[in-house]
Amino acid sequence: MKRALTLVVLAPAFALVGGCGLKPLYAGGGSGAVATGLGQVEVAPIEGKAGWLVANALRDRLGAAPSGAARYRLQVKLDDEITGLAIRRDDSVARERRILRARYQLVELGQGGVVLDATAGSDAGIDVVGSEYATIAAESTALERLSDIVADQIVTRVAVTVGRTPPAP
């Protein structure tokens, strides 16, 4: 009974959502405006190990632009920081926090204008154990995960921006 009443109450709300102007971001699939626009983004080199990981993740998600076909350049600057959080009785660190932040700009190559200037970031907690190797491995794994998360955030924001930008003449 409650389920039927809920459907009756929510049915008008569902009808209104259809007319609100929302459309899927990736409408048209691989040949849609957003997918085509993402394929026209080249990723500028990014410094360091974190930069290499983020750049590879971005290239995987954006798709490879044929040589000379790039309309945009994505420039990314990273800030990778590890801080100790918890201290043991012997004054050694028991837990670390790794933070990866990215400031990025999407530059339109033809006009040289910045289309998007934004930031992305994420953090991860790391247990510091007695084995130095295990701690280094955990820090490395955290960096890999954070690189994927930051790349996903960047691509999502770039996709929205590219979807709103009119196609090149």
Short mmCIF file of all heavy atoms in Angstrom, two decimals, residues 56-131:
data_model
loop_
_atom_site.label_atom_id
_atom_site.label_comp_id
_atom_site.label_asym_id
_atom_site.label_seq_id
_atom_site.Cartn_x
_atom_site.Cartn_y
_atom_site.Cartn_z
N ASN A 56 49.29 9.31 -17.69
CA ASN A 56 48.87 8.05 -18.32
C ASN A 56 47.39 7.78 -18.08
O ASN A 56 46.68 7.34 -18.98
CB ASN A 56 49.71 6.89 -17.80
CG ASN A 56 51.07 6.82 -18.46
OD1 ASN A 56 51.28 7.41 -19.51
ND2 ASN A 56 51.98 6.11 -17.84
N ALA A 57 46.93 8.04 -16.86
CA ALA A 57 45.50 7.84 -16.56
C ALA A 57 44.64 8.79 -17.39
O ALA A 57 43.58 8.39 -17.89
CB ALA A 57 45.25 8.04 -15.07
N LEU A 58 45.09 10.01 -17.56
CA LEU A 58 44.34 10.98 -18.38
C LEU A 58 44.29 10.53 -19.83
O LEU A 58 43.23 10.58 -20.47
CB LEU A 58 44.96 12.37 -18.27
CG LEU A 58 44.75 13.10 -16.96
CD1 LEU A 58 45.63 14.34 -16.88
CD2 LEU A 58 43.29 13.47 -16.77
N ARG A 59 45.43 10.10 -20.37
CA ARG A 59 45.46 9.66 -21.77
C ARG A 59 44.55 8.44 -21.98
O ARG A 59 43.89 8.33 -23.01
CB ARG A 59 46.89 9.35 -22.19
CG ARG A 59 47.72 10.60 -22.39
CD ARG A 59 49.12 10.28 -22.93
NE ARG A 59 49.95 11.45 -22.83
CZ ARG A 59 50.87 11.66 -21.88
NH1 ARG A 59 51.09 10.74 -20.95
NH2 ARG A 59 51.57 12.77 -21.86
N ASP A 60 44.53 7.53 -21.01
CA ASP A 60 43.66 6.36 -21.11
C ASP A 60 42.20 6.76 -21.15
O ASP A 60 41.40 6.18 -21.89
CB ASP A 60 43.88 5.41 -19.93
CG ASP A 60 45.20 4.67 -20.00
OD1 ASP A 60 45.84 4.69 -21.08
OD2 ASP A 60 45.61 4.11 -18.97
N ARG A 61 41.81 7.75 -20.35
CA ARG A 61 40.42 8.14 -20.25
C ARG A 61 39.98 9.08 -21.38
O ARG A 61 38.81 9.08 -21.75
CB ARG A 61 40.17 8.81 -18.90
CG ARG A 61 40.16 7.79 -17.76
CD ARG A 61 40.49 8.45 -16.43
NE ARG A 61 40.44 7.54 -15.31
CZ ARG A 61 41.36 6.65 -15.01
NH1 ARG A 61 42.43 6.52 -15.76
NH2 ARG A 61 41.23 5.87 -13.96
N LEU A 62 40.89 9.86 -21.90
CA LEU A 62 40.53 10.82 -22.95
C LEU A 62 40.51 10.19 -24.33
O LEU A 62 39.79 10.65 -25.21
CB LEU A 62 41.53 11.99 -22.95
CG LEU A 62 41.48 12.91 -21.74
CD1 LEU A 62 42.65 13.88 -21.76
CD2 LEU A 62 40.17 13.66 -21.68
N GLY A 63 41.28 9.17 -24.55
CA GLY A 63 41.40 8.58 -25.88
C GLY A 63 42.52 9.29 -26.62
O GLY A 63 42.80 10.46 -26.39
N ALA A 64 43.15 8.59 -27.51
CA ALA A 64 44.31 9.14 -28.21
C ALA A 64 43.87 10.05 -29.35
O ALA A 64 43.10 9.64 -30.21
CB ALA A 64 45.18 8.01 -28.74
N ALA A 65 44.35 11.30 -29.34
CA ALA A 65 44.10 12.21 -30.44
C ALA A 65 45.14 11.95 -31.52
O ALA A 65 46.32 11.84 -31.24
CB ALA A 65 44.19 13.66 -29.95
N PRO A 66 44.70 11.84 -32.79
CA PRO A 66 45.68 11.67 -33.86
C PRO A 66 46.63 12.88 -33.90
O PRO A 66 46.27 13.97 -33.50
CB PRO A 66 44.83 11.60 -35.13
CG PRO A 66 43.44 11.32 -34.67
CD PRO A 66 43.34 11.83 -33.26
N SER A 67 47.84 12.66 -34.37
CA SER A 67 48.83 13.74 -34.41
C SER A 67 48.30 14.94 -35.19
O SER A 67 47.78 14.80 -36.29
CB SER A 67 50.12 13.25 -35.08
OG SER A 67 50.67 12.21 -34.32
N GLY A 68 48.41 16.11 -34.60
CA GLY A 68 47.97 17.34 -35.23
C GLY A 68 46.48 17.59 -35.14
O GLY A 68 46.00 18.61 -35.63
N ALA A 69 45.73 16.67 -34.56
CA ALA A 69 44.28 16.84 -34.48
C ALA A 69 43.82 17.43 -33.16
O ALA A 69 42.64 17.57 -32.93
CB ALA A 69 43.60 15.49 -34.71
N ALA A 70 44.75 17.79 -32.30
CA ALA A 70 44.37 18.30 -30.98
C ALA A 70 43.81 19.71 -31.09
O ALA A 70 44.37 20.57 -31.77
CB ALA A 70 45.57 18.27 -30.05
N ARG A 71 42.71 19.93 -30.42
CA ARG A 71 42.11 21.26 -30.33
C ARG A 71 42.44 21.91 -28.99
O ARG A 71 42.48 23.13 -28.88
CB ARG A 71 40.59 21.14 -30.50
CG ARG A 71 39.86 22.44 -30.40
CD ARG A 71 38.38 22.28 -30.58
NE ARG A 71 37.70 23.56 -30.39
CZ ARG A 71 36.41 23.69 -30.24
NH1 ARG A 71 35.63 22.62 -30.26
NH2 ARG A 71 35.87 24.87 -30.05
N TYR A 72 42.67 21.07 -27.98
CA TYR A 72 42.93 21.55 -26.63
C TYR A 72 44.23 20.95 -26.09
O TYR A 72 44.64 19.87 -26.51
CB TYR A 72 41.81 21.13 -25.67
CG TYR A 72 40.43 21.57 -26.07
CD1 TYR A 72 39.57 20.69 -26.71
CD2 TYR A 72 39.99 22.86 -25.79
CE1 TYR A 72 38.29 21.08 -27.05
CE2 TYR A 72 38.72 23.25 -26.14
CZ TYR A 72 37.87 22.36 -26.77
OH TYR A 72 36.61 22.76 -27.12
N ARG A 73 44.84 21.65 -25.15
CA ARG A 73 45.97 21.10 -24.40
C ARG A 73 45.60 21.17 -22.92
O ARG A 73 45.16 22.21 -22.43
CB ARG A 73 47.25 21.89 -24.63
CG ARG A 73 48.39 21.38 -23.72
CD ARG A 73 49.70 22.08 -23.93
NE ARG A 73 50.25 21.65 -25.21
CZ ARG A 73 50.54 22.48 -26.21
NH1 ARG A 73 50.32 23.76 -26.09
NH2 ARG A 73 51.04 22.02 -27.33
N LEU A 74 45.79 20.07 -22.23
CA LEU A 74 45.53 20.00 -20.80
C LEU A 74 46.86 20.11 -20.07
O LEU A 74 47.74 19.28 -20.23
CB LEU A 74 44.84 18.67 -20.45
CG LEU A 74 44.39 18.49 -19.02
CD1 LEU A 74 43.37 19.54 -18.60
CD2 LEU A 74 43.79 17.10 -18.84
N GLN A 75 47.00 21.19 -19.29
CA GLN A 75 48.22 21.43 -18.53
C GLN A 75 47.92 21.21 -17.06
O GLN A 75 46.98 21.80 -16.52
CB GLN A 75 48.71 22.87 -18.76
CG GLN A 75 49.02 23.14 -20.21
CD GLN A 75 49.30 24.60 -20.49
OE1 GLN A 75 48.87 25.49 -19.77
NE2 GLN A 75 50.02 24.84 -21.57
N VAL A 76 48.70 20.36 -16.41
CA VAL A 76 48.45 19.96 -15.03
C VAL A 76 49.70 20.19 -14.19
O VAL A 76 50.80 19.83 -14.60
CB VAL A 76 48.03 18.47 -14.96
CG1 VAL A 76 47.72 18.06 -13.53
CG2 VAL A 76 46.85 18.18 -15.87
N LYS A 77 49.51 20.77 -13.03
CA LYS A 77 50.58 20.90 -12.03
C LYS A 77 50.10 20.16 -10.78
O LYS A 77 49.00 20.40 -10.31
CB LYS A 77 50.86 22.36 -11.70
CG LYS A 77 51.45 23.12 -12.87
CD LYS A 77 52.08 24.39 -12.39
CE LYS A 77 52.55 25.26 -13.51
NZ LYS A 77 53.62 24.78 -14.31
N LEU A 78 50.96 19.28 -10.26
CA LEU A 78 50.58 18.44 -9.12
C LEU A 78 51.30 18.88 -7.85
O LEU A 78 52.43 19.37 -7.89
CB LEU A 78 50.93 16.98 -9.40
CG LEU A 78 50.16 16.30 -10.51
CD1 LEU A 78 50.68 14.90 -10.72
CD2 LEU A 78 48.68 16.28 -10.23
N ASP A 79 50.64 18.64 -6.73
CA ASP A 79 51.22 18.81 -5.41
C ASP A 79 50.97 17.50 -4.66
O ASP A 79 49.83 17.17 -4.35
CB ASP A 79 50.57 19.99 -4.69
CG ASP A 79 51.13 20.22 -3.30
OD1 ASP A 79 52.30 19.82 -3.06
OD2 ASP A 79 50.41 20.78 -2.46
N ASP A 80 52.04 16.75 -4.43
CA ASP A 80 51.97 15.46 -3.76
C ASP A 80 52.62 15.62 -2.39
O ASP A 80 53.79 15.99 -2.30
CB ASP A 80 52.71 14.41 -4.59
CG ASP A 80 52.66 13.02 -3.99
OD1 ASP A 80 51.76 12.77 -3.14
OD2 ASP A 80 53.51 12.19 -4.34
N GLU A 81 51.86 15.34 -1.35
CA GLU A 81 52.34 15.60 0.01
C GLU A 81 52.02 14.42 0.93
O GLU A 81 50.91 13.88 0.89
CB GLU A 81 51.64 16.86 0.52
CG GLU A 81 52.00 17.30 1.89
CD GLU A 81 51.20 18.56 2.27
OE1 GLU A 81 51.03 19.44 1.43
OE2 GLU A 81 50.75 18.61 3.42
N ILE A 82 52.99 14.03 1.74
CA ILE A 82 52.77 13.00 2.76
C ILE A 82 53.04 13.63 4.12
O ILE A 82 54.10 14.22 4.33
CB ILE A 82 53.70 11.79 2.56
CG1 ILE A 82 53.45 11.12 1.21
CG2 ILE A 82 53.51 10.77 3.69
CD1 ILE A 82 54.38 9.96 0.92
N THR A 83 52.08 13.52 5.03
CA THR A 83 52.25 14.06 6.38
C THR A 83 51.97 12.96 7.40
O THR A 83 51.12 12.11 7.18
CB THR A 83 51.31 15.25 6.64
OG1 THR A 83 49.96 14.83 6.40
CG2 THR A 83 51.62 16.42 5.74
N GLY A 84 52.69 13.00 8.49
CA GLY A 84 52.48 12.06 9.58
C GLY A 84 51.30 12.51 10.44
O GLY A 84 51.17 13.69 10.74
N LEU A 85 50.47 11.58 10.82
CA LEU A 85 49.28 11.92 11.61
C LEU A 85 49.37 11.43 13.05
O LEU A 85 49.18 12.20 13.98
CB LEU A 85 48.03 11.32 10.97
CG LEU A 85 47.60 11.90 9.63
CD1 LEU A 85 46.37 11.17 9.12
CD2 LEU A 85 47.30 13.37 9.76
N ALA A 86 49.61 10.18 13.23
CA ALA A 86 49.60 9.60 14.57
C ALA A 86 51.03 9.30 15.01
O ALA A 86 51.86 8.85 14.23
CB ALA A 86 48.77 8.32 14.57
N ILE A 87 51.30 9.54 16.28
CA ILE A 87 52.64 9.33 16.84
C ILE A 87 52.56 8.25 17.92
O ILE A 87 51.68 8.26 18.77
CB ILE A 87 53.19 10.63 17.45
CG1 ILE A 87 53.14 11.77 16.44
CG2 ILE A 87 54.59 10.44 17.99
CD1 ILE A 87 54.02 11.59 15.25
N ARG A 88 53.51 7.32 17.85
CA ARG A 88 53.59 6.28 18.88
C ARG A 88 54.34 6.80 20.10
O ARG A 88 54.88 7.90 20.09
CB ARG A 88 54.32 5.07 18.30
CG ARG A 88 53.60 4.39 17.18
CD ARG A 88 54.33 3.10 16.78
NE ARG A 88 53.69 2.50 15.65
CZ ARG A 88 54.16 2.55 14.40
NH1 ARG A 88 55.28 3.17 14.13
NH2 ARG A 88 53.50 1.98 13.41
N ARG A 89 54.40 5.98 21.13
CA ARG A 89 55.11 6.37 22.36
C ARG A 89 56.60 6.62 22.13
O ARG A 89 57.21 7.43 22.81
CB ARG A 89 54.95 5.29 23.43
CG ARG A 89 53.57 5.23 23.99
CD ARG A 89 53.49 4.21 25.09
NE ARG A 89 52.10 3.95 25.39
CZ ARG A 89 51.66 2.86 25.97
NH1 ARG A 89 52.50 1.92 26.34
NH2 ARG A 89 50.38 2.71 26.20
N ASP A 90 57.16 5.92 21.14
CA ASP A 90 58.58 6.10 20.85
C ASP A 90 58.84 7.23 19.84
O ASP A 90 59.90 7.30 19.25
CB ASP A 90 59.20 4.78 20.36
CG ASP A 90 58.60 4.32 19.04
OD1 ASP A 90 57.61 4.92 18.58
OD2 ASP A 90 59.14 3.37 18.47
N ASP A 91 57.87 8.09 19.65
CA ASP A 91 57.93 9.25 18.75
C ASP A 91 58.06 8.88 17.27
O ASP A 91 58.49 9.70 16.47
CB ASP A 91 59.09 10.19 19.14
CG ASP A 91 58.81 10.92 20.44
OD1 ASP A 91 57.62 11.14 20.75
OD2 ASP A 91 59.77 11.27 21.13
N SER A 92 57.68 7.68 16.90
CA SER A 92 57.66 7.31 15.48
C SER A 92 56.24 7.50 14.94
O SER A 92 55.26 7.47 15.70
CB SER A 92 58.12 5.86 15.29
OG SER A 92 57.24 4.98 15.92
N VAL A 93 56.15 7.72 13.66
CA VAL A 93 54.85 7.94 13.02
C VAL A 93 54.12 6.61 12.86
O VAL A 93 54.69 5.63 12.40
CB VAL A 93 55.05 8.62 11.64
CG1 VAL A 93 53.74 8.77 10.91
CG2 VAL A 93 55.72 9.97 11.81
N ALA A 94 52.85 6.60 13.21
CA ALA A 94 52.04 5.39 13.11
C ALA A 94 51.10 5.41 11.90
O ALA A 94 50.69 4.37 11.40
CB ALA A 94 51.21 5.19 14.37
N ARG A 95 50.77 6.60 11.43
CA ARG A 95 49.83 6.74 10.32
C ARG A 95 50.23 7.96 9.50
O ARG A 95 50.63 8.98 10.05
CB ARG A 95 48.41 6.89 10.85
CG ARG A 95 47.35 6.90 9.78
CD ARG A 95 46.21 5.96 10.16
NE ARG A 95 45.13 6.05 9.22
CZ ARG A 95 44.95 5.18 8.23
NH1 ARG A 95 45.78 4.19 8.09
NH2 ARG A 95 43.94 5.31 7.41
N GLU A 96 50.09 7.84 8.19
CA GLU A 96 50.40 8.94 7.29
C GLU A 96 49.17 9.27 6.44
O GLU A 96 48.29 8.44 6.26
CB GLU A 96 51.54 8.57 6.33
CG GLU A 96 52.86 8.35 6.99
CD GLU A 96 53.91 7.89 6.01
OE1 GLU A 96 53.57 7.32 4.95
OE2 GLU A 96 55.10 8.09 6.32
N ARG A 97 49.18 10.48 5.94
CA ARG A 97 48.12 10.92 5.03
C ARG A 97 48.81 11.42 3.76
O ARG A 97 49.66 12.31 3.81
CB ARG A 97 47.31 12.04 5.66
CG ARG A 97 46.21 12.56 4.78
CD ARG A 97 45.46 13.66 5.50
NE ARG A 97 44.37 14.15 4.69
CZ ARG A 97 43.73 15.27 4.93
NH1 ARG A 97 44.06 16.00 5.98
NH2 ARG A 97 42.76 15.65 4.15
N ARG A 98 48.45 10.82 2.64
CA ARG A 98 49.00 11.26 1.35
C ARG A 98 47.92 12.05 0.63
O ARG A 98 46.81 11.58 0.44
CB ARG A 98 49.44 10.07 0.51
CG ARG A 98 50.12 10.50 -0.76
CD ARG A 98 50.89 9.40 -1.41
NE ARG A 98 51.99 9.99 -2.16
CZ ARG A 98 53.05 9.33 -2.52
NH1 ARG A 98 53.19 8.07 -2.20
NH2 ARG A 98 54.00 9.91 -3.22
N ILE A 99 48.28 13.26 0.23
CA ILE A 99 47.35 14.15 -0.45
C ILE A 99 47.91 14.44 -1.84
O ILE A 99 49.06 14.84 -1.98
CB ILE A 99 47.17 15.46 0.33
CG1 ILE A 99 46.68 15.19 1.75
CG2 ILE A 99 46.19 16.38 -0.40
CD1 ILE A 99 46.72 16.41 2.64
N LEU A 100 47.09 14.25 -2.85
CA LEU A 100 47.46 14.58 -4.21
C LEU A 100 46.48 15.63 -4.72
O LEU A 100 45.28 15.38 -4.79
CB LEU A 100 47.43 13.34 -5.11
CG LEU A 100 47.89 13.55 -6.56
CD1 LEU A 100 49.36 13.98 -6.59
CD2 LEU A 100 47.68 12.30 -7.38
N ARG A 101 47.01 16.81 -5.02
CA ARG A 101 46.19 17.90 -5.54
C ARG A 101 46.68 18.25 -6.94
O ARG A 101 47.88 18.20 -7.21
CB ARG A 101 46.32 19.14 -4.66
CG ARG A 101 45.68 19.01 -3.33
CD ARG A 101 45.72 20.36 -2.58
NE ARG A 101 45.72 20.11 -1.15
CZ ARG A 101 46.79 20.09 -0.38
NH1 ARG A 101 47.97 20.32 -0.88
NH2 ARG A 101 46.69 19.84 0.89
N ALA A 102 45.76 18.64 -7.79
CA ALA A 102 46.10 19.03 -9.16
C ALA A 102 45.45 20.36 -9.49
O ALA A 102 44.27 20.56 -9.20
CB ALA A 102 45.63 17.97 -10.15
N ARG A 103 46.23 21.25 -10.04
CA ARG A 103 45.69 22.48 -10.62
C ARG A 103 45.85 22.30 -12.11
O ARG A 103 46.95 22.02 -12.60
CB ARG A 103 46.46 23.70 -10.15
CG ARG A 103 46.11 24.93 -10.95
CD ARG A 103 45.69 26.07 -10.09
NE ARG A 103 45.09 27.10 -10.90
CZ ARG A 103 45.58 28.32 -11.02
NH1 ARG A 103 46.65 28.66 -10.36
NH2 ARG A 103 44.95 29.20 -11.76
N TYR A 104 44.77 22.43 -12.85
CA TYR A 104 44.84 22.16 -14.28
C TYR A 104 44.13 23.24 -15.08
O TYR A 104 43.22 23.90 -14.59
CB TYR A 104 44.26 20.77 -14.61
CG TYR A 104 42.84 20.56 -14.19
CD1 TYR A 104 41.79 20.75 -15.08
CD2 TYR A 104 42.52 20.17 -12.90
CE1 TYR A 104 40.48 20.55 -14.70
CE2 TYR A 104 41.22 19.96 -12.51
CZ TYR A 104 40.20 20.16 -13.41
OH TYR A 104 38.90 19.97 -13.02
N GLN A 105 44.60 23.39 -16.31
CA GLN A 105 44.02 24.33 -17.24
C GLN A 105 43.80 23.63 -18.57
O GLN A 105 44.68 22.90 -19.05
CB GLN A 105 44.93 25.54 -17.47
CG GLN A 105 45.09 26.41 -16.26
CD GLN A 105 45.98 27.61 -16.54
OE1 GLN A 105 46.89 27.53 -17.35
NE2 GLN A 105 45.70 28.70 -15.87
N LEU A 106 42.65 23.88 -19.16
CA LEU A 106 42.35 23.41 -20.50
C LEU A 106 42.49 24.61 -21.43
O LEU A 106 41.75 25.58 -21.30
CB LEU A 106 40.94 22.82 -20.57
CG LEU A 106 40.53 22.19 -21.89
CD1 LEU A 106 41.37 20.94 -22.16
CD2 LEU A 106 39.06 21.83 -21.89
N VAL A 107 43.47 24.55 -22.31
CA VAL A 107 43.79 25.67 -23.19
C VAL A 107 43.36 25.31 -24.60
O VAL A 107 43.70 24.23 -25.12
CB VAL A 107 45.31 25.97 -23.17
CG1 VAL A 107 45.66 27.11 -24.10
CG2 VAL A 107 45.76 26.27 -21.75
N GLU A 108 42.61 26.21 -25.23
CA GLU A 108 42.23 26.01 -26.63
C GLU A 108 43.40 26.43 -27.49
O GLU A 108 43.85 27.58 -27.43
CB GLU A 108 40.98 26.80 -26.97
CG GLU A 108 40.38 26.41 -28.29
CD GLU A 108 38.96 26.91 -28.48
OE1 GLU A 108 38.48 27.70 -27.66
OE2 GLU A 108 38.35 26.49 -29.46
N LEU A 109 43.93 25.52 -28.30
CA LEU A 109 45.17 25.76 -29.03
C LEU A 109 45.03 26.82 -30.13
O LEU A 109 45.92 27.63 -30.33
CB LEU A 109 45.70 24.46 -29.63
CG LEU A 109 46.13 23.40 -28.62
CD1 LEU A 109 46.54 22.13 -29.32
CD2 LEU A 109 47.27 23.93 -27.76
N GLY A 110 43.92 26.85 -30.82
CA GLY A 110 43.74 27.80 -31.92
C GLY A 110 43.73 29.24 -31.45
O GLY A 110 44.30 30.13 -32.07
N GLN A 111 43.08 29.51 -30.33
CA GLN A 111 42.95 30.88 -29.84
C GLN A 111 43.88 31.16 -28.67
O GLN A 111 44.08 32.30 -28.31
CB GLN A 111 41.50 31.13 -29.42
CG GLN A 111 40.53 30.96 -30.57
CD GLN A 111 39.09 31.10 -30.12
OE1 GLN A 111 38.83 31.28 -28.94
NE2 GLN A 111 38.18 31.00 -31.07
N GLY A 112 44.42 30.13 -28.06
CA GLY A 112 45.33 30.31 -26.93
C GLY A 112 44.64 30.70 -25.64
O GLY A 112 45.30 31.02 -24.66
N GLY A 113 43.33 30.67 -25.61
CA GLY A 113 42.59 31.06 -24.41
C GLY A 113 42.38 29.90 -23.46
O GLY A 113 42.29 28.73 -23.88
N VAL A 114 42.33 30.21 -22.18
CA VAL A 114 42.07 29.19 -21.17
C VAL A 114 40.56 28.97 -21.10
O VAL A 114 39.80 29.89 -20.79
CB VAL A 114 42.63 29.62 -19.80
CG1 VAL A 114 42.25 28.60 -18.73
CG2 VAL A 114 44.13 29.78 -19.87
N VAL A 115 40.13 27.77 -21.41
CA VAL A 115 38.72 27.42 -21.40
C VAL A 115 38.28 26.99 -20.01
O VAL A 115 37.16 27.25 -19.59
CB VAL A 115 38.45 26.29 -22.42
CG1 VAL A 115 37.00 25.89 -22.43
CG2 VAL A 115 38.89 26.72 -23.81
N LEU A 116 39.18 26.35 -19.28
CA LEU A 116 38.88 25.82 -17.95
C LEU A 116 40.11 25.95 -17.07
O LEU A 116 41.21 25.61 -17.50
CB LEU A 116 38.47 24.35 -18.05
CG LEU A 116 38.26 23.56 -16.77
CD1 LEU A 116 37.09 24.13 -15.98
CD2 LEU A 116 38.02 22.09 -17.07
N ASP A 117 39.92 26.48 -15.87
CA ASP A 117 40.99 26.58 -14.87
C ASP A 117 40.38 26.09 -13.56
O ASP A 117 39.50 26.74 -13.00
CB ASP A 117 41.46 28.02 -14.75
CG ASP A 117 42.68 28.18 -13.86
OD1 ASP A 117 43.13 27.17 -13.28
OD2 ASP A 117 43.17 29.31 -13.72
N ALA A 118 40.83 24.92 -13.10
CA ALA A 118 40.19 24.31 -11.93
C ALA A 118 41.20 23.48 -11.15
O ALA A 118 42.36 23.36 -11.52
CB ALA A 118 39.02 23.44 -12.38
N THR A 119 40.72 22.90 -10.05
CA THR A 119 41.54 22.04 -9.21
C THR A 119 40.83 20.72 -8.96
O THR A 119 39.60 20.64 -9.06
CB THR A 119 41.86 22.69 -7.85
OG1 THR A 119 40.64 22.96 -7.17
CG2 THR A 119 42.64 23.97 -8.02
N ALA A 120 41.60 19.72 -8.63
CA ALA A 120 41.08 18.41 -8.25
C ALA A 120 42.01 17.86 -7.18
O ALA A 120 43.16 18.27 -7.09
CB ALA A 120 41.03 17.46 -9.45
N GLY A 121 41.52 16.95 -6.39
CA GLY A 121 42.38 16.37 -5.37
C GLY A 121 41.70 15.27 -4.60
O GLY A 121 40.48 15.12 -4.63
N SER A 122 42.52 14.51 -3.92
CA SER A 122 42.03 13.44 -3.07
C SER A 122 43.13 13.09 -2.07
O SER A 122 44.26 13.53 -2.21
CB SER A 122 41.66 12.21 -3.90
OG SER A 122 41.00 11.25 -3.12
N ASP A 123 42.76 12.33 -1.05
CA ASP A 123 43.74 11.91 -0.06
C ASP A 123 43.51 10.46 0.35
O ASP A 123 42.43 9.92 0.14
CB ASP A 123 43.71 12.83 1.16
CG ASP A 123 42.41 12.72 1.92
OD1 ASP A 123 41.32 12.91 1.33
OD2 ASP A 123 42.46 12.43 3.12
N ALA A 124 44.54 9.88 0.93
CA ALA A 124 44.47 8.49 1.38
C ALA A 124 45.25 8.35 2.68
O ALA A 124 46.26 9.00 2.89
CB ALA A 124 45.06 7.55 0.33
N GLY A 125 44.77 7.47 3.55
CA GLY A 125 45.46 7.17 4.80
C GLY A 125 46.34 5.94 4.62
O GLY A 125 45.98 5.00 3.91
N ILE A 126 47.50 5.98 5.27
CA ILE A 126 48.47 4.89 5.13
C ILE A 126 48.93 4.48 6.53
O ILE A 126 49.34 5.34 7.32
CB ILE A 126 49.70 5.34 4.32
CG1 ILE A 126 49.27 5.83 2.94
CG2 ILE A 126 50.73 4.23 4.21
CD1 ILE A 126 50.33 6.62 2.21
N ASP A 127 48.86 3.20 6.84
CA ASP A 127 49.39 2.69 8.09
C ASP A 127 50.90 2.50 7.95
O ASP A 127 51.38 1.90 6.99
CB ASP A 127 48.75 1.35 8.46
CG ASP A 127 47.33 1.50 8.93
OD1 ASP A 127 47.01 2.54 9.53
OD2 ASP A 127 46.53 0.58 8.69
N VAL A 128 51.64 3.01 8.90
CA VAL A 128 53.09 2.83 8.92
C VAL A 128 53.37 1.63 9.81
O VAL A 128 53.07 1.65 11.00
CB VAL A 128 53.80 4.10 9.44
CG1 VAL A 128 55.30 3.88 9.50
CG2 VAL A 128 53.46 5.28 8.57
N VAL A 129 53.95 0.59 9.21
CA VAL A 129 54.21 -0.65 9.95
C VAL A 129 55.70 -0.81 10.18
O VAL A 129 56.51 0.02 9.77
CB VAL A 129 53.65 -1.86 9.17
CG1 VAL A 129 52.14 -1.78 9.09
CG2 VAL A 129 54.25 -1.95 7.78
N GLY A 130 56.08 -1.87 10.84
CA GLY A 130 57.49 -2.10 11.18
C GLY A 130 58.38 -2.32 9.97
O GLY A 130 59.55 -2.01 10.00
N SER A 131 57.82 -2.81 8.89
CA SER A 131 58.60 -3.08 7.69
C SER A 131 58.64 -1.82 6.82
O SER A 131 57.61 -1.33 6.37
CB SER A 131 57.97 -4.22 6.90
OG SER A 131 58.53 -4.31 5.62
#
